[in-house]
Amino acid sequence: MSKVDPPGSELDSGTDLGIVLNSEPENKSTSKSQYVRIFMDASVRQQIIEFAATDTSHELGGVLIGYLKQSNPAEVFVEAIIPAKYTESVKASITFTHATWEDIHAVKD
C-alpha cells in the first residue's frame, strides 16, 4: 500500500488515492464544515472488495485505519483495513466479540 502524506502536509501528485468520496451538503446553505471528504488508497479499496466477496450470505465487518485532517471541509485518509475475525454473524447483523477486538488491536499494534 502506498502511504498517504502525514497529517498537516499537503497532498502531492505522487500520492495514490484510489477514490475520493465527497459528501456534499444537501442544503447548499449548509456550511462546508458540516461534511467530510474521504480519501482511500486504491489497494485498500481492493482489499475491501475482496473481503466483502468472501461470504455473501452473512454480514462482514472490519475496521478502517487512517487519520483525520482538520480542515474545511474535514478530510479522512483511510490507509488500511483490518477484517474482523471471530465475529458472531447472521444474515443481517454482526457482533464484534472480545476475541474480535483483541485480534484487531493485535494487528493494529
Side-chain angles (χ1 to χ4, degrees):
M1 174 178 76
S2 62
K3 295 297 283 180
V4 178
D5 292 327
S9 67
E10 295 300 318
L11 293 174
D12 62 41
S13 60
T15 303
D16 177 19
L17 298 175
I19 64 172
V20 178
L21 303 174
N22 288 307
S23 178
E24 295 287 343
E26 290 180 18
N27 180 347
K28 293 300 179 185
S29 65
T30 301
S31 166
K32 282 190 173 187
S33 65
Q34 296 178 351
Y35 75 100
V36 63
R37 295 178 69 204
I38 302 170
F39 299 89
M40 183 180 298
D41 189 272
S43 65
V44 175
R45 180 177 180 272
Q46 186 60 38
Q47 290 172 27
I48 292 170
I49 291 168
E50 290 173 7
F51 176 62
T54 62
D55 184 352
T56 58
S57 65
H58 292 87
E59 293 288 326
L60 298 174
V63 175
L64 301 175
I65 303 296
Y67 63 89
L68 170 68
K69 180 180 177 185
Q70 295 289 349
S71 57
N72 191 6
E75 297 174 328
V76 173
F77 296 87
V78 180
E79 300 177 301
I81 177 178
I82 302 174
K85 299 178 184 176
Y86 318 112
T87 59
E88 295 174 1
S89 176
V90 293
K91 184 79 177 165
S93 71
I94 186 171
T95 301
F96 282 31
T97 64
H98 289 291
T100 304
W101 285 113
E102 288 173 2
D103 181 66
I104 288 169
H105 288 293
V107 171
K108 183 176 172 276
D109 295 336

